Structures are given as C-alpha cells and as structure tokens.
C-alpha cells in the first residue's frame, strides 16, 4: 500500500467511493422533492432490509405475533442506491437520511435511529423489555452495546472486507480483530444465557441478530469462514434460536429488494401479504 498524506484541507471527490460514490456525500439535507406514500395504518415505516432495517420489521412482526394488533404497519421501501433517502419527505422524518425511519400518525411523532424505534415501540406496547429494573438495565446495556459496536462491523469490517474498491491489509486486519473481539464478547456472555440479558427475549436480541447472527450464519459479507464463525458456538446457538422465530423470518423479508426473490416482500401492508407473495408478483417489482 502506498503512503497517503492527507491534504491540509479535505475536498470532496464525488467520483471516489466505489459502489457508494453516488449516495455518500459530506452534506445533509434533501436533493430533490419527493413526498412519502401514506398507508392506512398508524405506523408508517420507510426502510430497507439491511441489518438496521430488519431490526424494526422483526420488532413489528413480533408485536403482532404477541397479539398487539395496534402494531399493524405499512412498510415502504427506500431504495438507497437510487437516493430515495435524500428525498424531501424522507429527510423530513429523518434529517440524517438513513434508514429506518418511522412515522407514528397517531401522535404525529417521527422516530429515527433503529434503537430509538425499538425502544419507542417497546414502551408503547409494554413488550419485549423487562419491567424489573435490573433486567431492563441489562437489556439496555446490550442494546446500546450493539449500537456502539455495529459501526465497527458494518462501516469498518464489512466495508473494507467486502465493499471497498481496493483491498488494503491494514484496515481489514484492524477491523477483523475488532469484529472477532466483539464476537468473543457475545460468545462469553451467551455461555450461560439463552438471550443477551439472560432468560428474556428482548429488543436487544432483535437489534443484534440481524448484525452478528447474520454474520455467523454467513448472510452478510460472505465472511463466516474467514472469521472462523463456527468457533463461536454460543453465538451460533443463540442465532439459531432468534433467527428461526416465525416473526423474525417474516421481518427479514419486509422491504427486501435483493437476494432470493422468494425471500423478498418489497412492501408490507397486511399480514396476508406474506401469504399472497408469489414469484411472479415479486418479479414485477424493482429488485
């Protein structure tokens, strides 16, 4: 790798950045006017089935499975490769232009950042967050552990290992070491616990499984062998427990525009959408 000397003042090269060059920029705000669609349900979700998006659709599906019928929602896809996240309507509910973003039409509240959405829904429905203060605190510990750790996995390891236009040893090694350290943190915690906070399945598990569960199950970055993911046996067991739940299986399909067409549900407006999904119907969408 050749040496790089940063300039005294950084300037933006819009062509630099590999496959993300079109969507990454150093300024905020909308680039175009585009109103968001509105469905019939209280909760309007605008998202994509990346790990951060899956967190929220899993939570909504878990709430519905638990009998909270008021959690019905409309899920609309945000095509980040097309710049939908910079439309004026989306920026209005998330000025950070990142998915997911939720609008609660009953309270006229915008909720952005995935952990904030999970906590908002957990408190609204008094679900998937323990009432006991000690158990609740432990769940929150792990929820915010995920929020602090996942950027090293996604923006660090995932970017340089899987997406960067060139492979460089130093950043790959740096973030591989950190990713394996994080997996070891999880593995040790799960050695004598069924779920992250102990006996309770909580929003912490819903937040973490789409990242670290998907990682060890080789669903993101195609890096399971490279990371020796099979050696993290407690994480593997926990991932199976969480990711095989029916609500998780449904949630990971919502707003999925990539991968196996049979696992894509571009929009979700009713539970029957899962039943009526067909290869032909999906094939007419914008994969």
């Amino acid at each position: 790798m050749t040496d790089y000397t940063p300039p005294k003042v950084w300037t933006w090269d819009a062509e630099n950045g590999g496959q993300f060059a079109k969507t990454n920029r150093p300024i905020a705000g909308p680039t175009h006017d585009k109103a968001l669609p509105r469905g019939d349900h209280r909760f309007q979700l605008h998202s994509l089935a990346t790990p951060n998006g899956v967190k929220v659709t899993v939570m909504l599906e878990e709430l519905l499975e638990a009998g909270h019928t008021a959690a019905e929602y409309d899920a609309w896809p945000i095509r980040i490769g097309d710049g939908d996240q910079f439309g004026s309507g989306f920026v209005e509910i998330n000025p950070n232009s990142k998915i997911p973003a939720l609008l609660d039409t009953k309270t006229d509240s915008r909720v952005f950042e995935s952990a904030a959405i999970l906590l908002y829904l957990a408190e609204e429905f008094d679900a998937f967050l323990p009432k006991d203060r000690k158990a609740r605190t432990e769940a929150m510990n792990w929820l915010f552990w995920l929020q602090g750790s996942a950027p090293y996995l996604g923006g660090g390891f995932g970017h340089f290992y899987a997406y960067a236009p060139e492979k460089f040893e130093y950043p790959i090694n740096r973030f591989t070491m950190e990713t394996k350290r994080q997996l070891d943190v999880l593995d040790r915690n799960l050695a004598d616990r069924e779920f992250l906070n102990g006996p309770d399945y909580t929003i912490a598990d819903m937040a973490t499984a789409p990242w670290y569960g998907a990682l060890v199950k080789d669903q993101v970055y195609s890096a399971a062998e490279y990371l020796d993911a099979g050696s993290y046996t407690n994480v593997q067991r926990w991932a199976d427990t969480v990711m095989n739940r029916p609500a998780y299986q449904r949630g990971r399909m919502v707003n999925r525009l990539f991968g196996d067409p049979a696992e894509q549900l571009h929009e979700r407006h009713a539970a029957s959408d899962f039943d009526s999904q067909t290869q032909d119907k999906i094939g007419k969408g914008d994969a």
Side-chain angles (χ1 to χ4, degrees):
M1 180 171 61
T2 59
D3 291 336
Y4 169 68
T5 301
K8 289 184 177 181
V9 178
W10 182 85
T11 56
W12 178 29
D13 178 1
E15 300 303 316
N16 191 15
Q19 68 185 89
F20 301 105
K22 293 191 301 182
T23 57
N24 288 342
R25 60 194 184 113
I27 54 176
T31 60
H32 58 283
D33 290 329
K34 184 177 181 180
L36 291 176
R38 178 74 66 91
D40 295 330
H41 299 303
R42 171 183 175 180
F43 295 107
Q44 300 294 304
L45 178 67
H46 301 273
S47 191
L48 185 68
T50 65
N52 284 331
V54 169
K55 297 176 191 177
V56 175
T57 48
V58 166
M59 174 60 164
L60 288 163
E61 291 297 326
E62 289 282 8
L63 287 168
L64 291 169
E65 179 126 330
H68 298 283
T69 56
E72 272 292 355
Y73 67 104
D74 293 286
W76 307 92
I78 295 295
R79 292 167 172 82
I80 59 177
D82 295 341
D84 286 355
Q85 68 274 32
F86 301 122
S88 57
F90 188 82
V91 173
E92 186 175 346
I93 63 171
N94 187 354
N96 196 38
S97 292
K98 302 289 184 181
I99 63 94
L102 182 74
L103 179 65
D104 182 346
T105 62
K106 179 179 179 180
T107 63
D108 193 31
S109 298
R110 69 180 187 183
V111 196
F112 60 90
E113 290 298 322
S114 55
I117 298 174
L118 292 178
L119 186 56
Y120 184 88
L121 293 171
E123 291 180 338
E124 177 67 24
F125 293 99
D126 193 20
F128 301 111
L129 197 56
K131 295 178 176 62
D132 174 77
R133 185 172 185 182
K134 182 177 180 180
R136 179 188 176 96
T137 299
E138 185 68 357
M140 296 296 285
N141 288 341
W142 288 103
L143 175 64
F144 286 99
W145 175 89
L146 179 279
Q147 293 302 113
S149 298
Y152 290 96
L153 171 56
F157 174 77
H159 177 77
F160 286 105
Y161 180 82
Y163 300 135
E166 299 178 73
K167 304 294 186 187
F168 293 118
E169 182 179 5
Y170 175 78
I172 291 175
N173 280 345
R174 167 68 179 87
F175 290 112
T176 296
M177 182 180 298
E178 175 61 12
T179 296
K180 288 182 70 66
R181 189 194 68 81
Q182 293 173 358
L183 286 169
D184 193 47
V185 169
L186 286 175
D187 205 61
R188 290 169 184 264
N189 181 61
L190 290 164
D192 57 359
R193 294 180 173 190
E194 183 177 8
F195 299 107
L196 291 178
N197 90 314
D200 304 309
Y201 175 59
T202 73
I203 55 176
D205 300 286
M206 297 179 205
T208 306
W211 281 105
Y212 294 88
L215 181 69
V216 298
K217 293 302 177 184
D218 213 24
Q219 295 179 5
V220 292
Y221 310 136
S222 299
E225 181 179 10
Y226 173 75
L227 294 169
D228 190 23
S231 66
Y232 302 100
T233 56
N234 299 316
V235 179
Q236 291 280 353
R237 184 267 310 157
W238 163 82
D240 286 335
T241 299
V242 174
M243 298 170 73
N244 286 331
R245 293 173 66 93
Y248 189 99
Q249 292 291 312
R250 291 194 301 274
R252 71 180 297 271
M253 294 171 59
V254 178
N255 297 148
R256 183 168 294 274
L257 308 180
F258 48 85
D260 183 352
E263 296 181 354
Q264 297 179 25
L265 188 65
H266 293 190
E267 295 183 9
R268 190 271 190 210
H269 305 289
S272 58
D273 291 343
F274 295 101
D275 300 327
S276 62
Q277 180 196 33
T278 65
Q279 294 272 352
D280 288 340
K281 177 182 176 182
I282 295 169
K284 295 176 182 178
D286 298 327

